[in-house]
Amino acid sequence: MEKRNQNRRQFIGQVAAAGLVSLPLASVLASCADEGEDKEEGISPNEDLMQEHGILNRVLLIYDELVNRINSHKDFDPQLLYQAAMIIRKFIEDYHEKQEELYLFPRFEKAGQHTELVTTLRVQHQQGGLLTSTLMSLGSKPRLGDREYSEIKANLSAFIRMYRPHESREDTVLFPAFKKLVSAHEYNSLGEEFEKNEHKMFGKDGYLDYLAKTESIEKALDIYDLGQFTPVQNQLQ
């Protein structure tokens, strides 16, 4: 748990530096990680889900890079696409989204709160799975031609366009509402249950393992260095 919280605090700092979350939010998340370490217990459900969104965000960056390479007529190893889509399939769709569908969505539906949003999120989970299946199929090909690149670009663009607002709506609407919807005891208990489910599915270092897989693809595509995304002022004039 100590190693995981340390890595998560480092990850939160990187995300804040990239401007993906506000510094106050990053401070809150980091303090939650510290609290979890001190008490030797799991992190909160919302923090768990939002940090899993961090891996999703990094795969979206990978997808952005692949789209940029297709637009620039630059080839790439289709295995990198397959590996990225596999992270989405295994960690996001088969685990993260299942947590939402099992523990969050039914509670909102039963309470009659945010039901329209939950319906849309369910549909988008289904559509995301279809896009991922297509991307995995294309990424498994030994070589890519113009037709495959065109299809990859269309599916990647659709996935990115859907999931950026999807996850941001969950982070800013659904997750805060969820904490208010359940009792403090139930909320804390669910955090522990989320941790147990993750360990059962992936082992005790599941989050860190998938973070490492994501970083490996970033390095292969030369987009791992965070500094390269900092704008140079004289190039903006």
Side-chain angles (χ1 to χ4, degrees):
M1 180 64 69
E2 180 179 357
K3 178 182 177 183
R4 178 174 182 179
N5 282 330
Q6 180 180 2
N7 278 272
R8 286 189 163 185
R9 287 196 301 274
Q10 292 172 350
F11 173 66
I12 291 165
Q14 292 172 349
V15 171
L20 297 177
V21 299
S22 65
L23 287 175
L25 176 58
S27 298
V28 170
L29 295 179
S31 67
C32 288
D34 289 335
E35 182 179 0
E37 181 178 336
D38 291 340
K39 295 183 178 181
E40 295 184 352
E41 58 186 29
I43 61 176
S44 73
N46 282 357
E47 185 187 1
D48 205 13
L49 293 167
M50 291 176 72
Q51 290 186 44
E52 289 161 8
H53 276 179
I55 290 184
L56 171 60
N57 258 314
R58 293 178 74 156
V59 177
L60 292 179
L61 176 61
I62 291 168
Y63 282 3
D64 276 332
E65 175 63 18
L66 297 180
V67 170
N68 290 338
R69 292 194 179 202
I70 293 172
N71 288 337
S72 301
H73 305 287
K74 296 179 180 178
D75 294 334
F76 56 81
D77 184 351
Q79 267 296 303
L80 296 176
L81 169 62
Y82 181 84
Q83 292 166 13
M86 183 62 75
I87 292 172
I88 294 294
R89 171 55 48 86
K90 295 295 186 182
F91 190 75
I92 299 301
E93 295 172 355
D94 290 349
Y95 170 66
H96 171 86
E97 292 181 350
K98 289 296 184 291
Q99 298 279 89
E100 294 173 341
E101 292 170 2
L102 286 172
Y103 297 98
L104 274 68
F105 294 176
R107 284 176 167 83
F108 281 105
E109 291 164 338
K110 183 177 181 180
Q113 296 184 24
H114 296 293
T115 55
E116 184 176 351
L117 173 59
V118 167
T119 297
T120 300
L121 294 172
R122 284 189 185 277
V123 170
Q124 291 184 342
H125 285 181
Q126 294 169 0
Q127 293 300 313
L130 296 175
L131 292 169
T132 298
S133 293
T134 300
L135 291 168
M136 289 174 62
S137 176
L138 290 164
S140 65
K141 294 181 179 296
R143 291 183 300 275
L144 300 174
D146 290 343
R147 181 177 178 180
E148 286 80 15
Y149 278 126
S150 178
E151 192 173 354
I152 289 170
K153 177 183 173 180
N155 281 270
L156 287 176
S157 298
F159 192 95
I160 294 166
R161 179 174 174 80
M162 180 172 69
Y163 266 93
R164 287 226 162 96
H166 176 101
E167 65 164 336
S168 65
R169 198 63 60 90
E170 289 182 336
D171 286 347
T172 59
V173 178
L174 198 75
F175 297 165
F178 177 66
K179 186 173 183 179
K180 297 177 182 178
L181 184 65
V182 299
S183 68
H185 174 73
E186 184 178 8
Y187 185 73
N188 292 331
S189 296
L190 284 172
E192 295 174 6
E193 190 161 354
F194 282 11
E195 285 291 291
K196 290 178 183 177
N197 290 345
E198 181 182 324
H199 294 166
K200 182 178 179 180
M201 190 163 184
F202 302 115
K204 68 175 184 177
D205 293 326
Y207 173 85
L208 296 178
D209 289 343
Y210 275 92
L211 180 59
K213 292 176 191 291
T214 306
E215 291 175 342
S216 177
I217 301 171
E218 291 173 340
K219 291 174 182 177
L221 291 170
D222 198 25
I223 57 171
Y224 176 74
D225 179 14
L226 188 63
Q228 68 184 284
F229 300 104
T230 307
V232 180
Q233 289 301 316
N234 61 15
Q235 295 178 356
L236 301 177
Q237 299 174 352

